[in-house]
Amino acid sequence: MGEEQGSEHTHCQCVDELTAKLAQTEMEAADLRCENANLTEELETLRGVRTPPQFHLEKFVSDSTMVTFFTGFVSIYSFMSCFNFLSRSAEVMRSWQGARTSSDDTDRVGGKTGPKAKLPLREQFFMVMMRLRLGLKEQDLAERFDIHQSTVSRTFITWINLMNGSSVNYPSG
């Protein structure tokens, strides 16, 4: 009987140890599930966030020499004056679609309909002025602004059409 009691005690001790380990493992699993949920949520958030391009007007706002180099405007103030004048029309301009014609509002660049433009209007204007000033290729601009080459092409033609109808004196050379 003493042997039976000792074995029962050892059995109870084993059960207690296993129960404690199970409880600890369940707590660790709960922590891991929580961490997994947090990481999954963070991943979903990051998937929805597009990193801004490394090349943008803000980098050069305080350096008139660079603004002049890239755009031909003597200062950020003259660049912004021209942009502000054009922006009223730019907000409702239709994106150039090649030979296609569209009678609806789905291809507006700055308007409220259609897909969101890949670049803000000011960055679009900056990119167009860079191309005019420096003669940069579409692929170069696409890489700099983190957009597709066809987007560069459509944006350029759209802005040229807009500027062609305006009465602004643009910088030369």
Side-chain angles (χ1 to χ4, degrees):
M1 181 142 157
E3 210 175 286
E4 226 177 84
Q5 214 174 26
S7 132
E8 196 174 303
H9 183 293
T10 305
H11 177 71
C12 286
Q13 189 178 16
C14 251
V15 168
D16 289 344
E17 287 174 11
L18 289 174
T19 302
K21 281 190 179 198
L22 179 61
Q24 181 182 359
T25 304
E26 286 175 347
M27 285 180 15
E28 289 173 0
D31 288 345
L32 289 172
R33 279 191 296 274
C34 185
E35 183 179 356
N36 186 17
N38 289 338
L39 289 172
T40 300
E41 184 178 323
E42 184 179 341
L43 178 61
E44 291 302 315
T45 300
L46 291 174
R47 282 184 178 155
V49 174
R50 183 174 181 200
T51 56
Q54 297 301 312
F55 192 88
H56 49 85
L57 181 60
E58 291 300 317
K59 287 176 79 170
F60 310 108
V61 167
S62 62
D63 188 348
S64 288
T65 306
M66 295 305 286
V67 170
T68 301
F69 173 76
F70 284 116
T71 68
F73 288 99
V74 294
S75 69
I76 190 65
Y77 304 109
S78 58
F79 173 87
M80 288 307 298
S81 292
C82 184
F83 171 74
N84 289 335
F85 175 79
L86 293 170
S87 67
R88 290 181 285 266
S89 298
E91 288 173 358
V92 294
M93 71 181 167
R94 290 185 179 272
S95 178
W96 185 80
Q97 300 293 321
R100 278 188 341 185
T101 57
S102 175
S103 60
D104 61 18
D105 290 339
T106 57
D107 59 348
R108 291 217 178 177
V109 173
K112 293 180 176 49
T113 58
K116 186 175 178 188
K118 303 288 184 202
L119 285 176
L121 290 174
R122 191 172 69 167
E123 294 297 318
Q124 291 178 26
F125 183 60
F126 179 52
M127 180 182 70
V128 168
M129 295 311 296
M130 284 178 59
R131 181 148 194 228
L132 289 172
R133 169 78 171 167
L134 303 172
L136 299 175
K137 303 288 185 192
E138 290 175 354
Q139 191 61 47
D140 181 3
L141 291 166
E143 290 297 320
R144 288 178 192 243
F145 287 90
D146 193 27
I147 57 177
H148 196 274
Q149 179 270 327
S150 63
T151 303
V152 173
S153 178
R154 278 192 313 276
T155 302
F156 184 76
I157 292 169
T158 299
W159 275 89
I160 293 301
N161 288 339
L162 175 76
M163 292 188 304
N164 190 36
S166 73
S167 59
V168 174
N169 289 326
Y170 300 100
S172 59

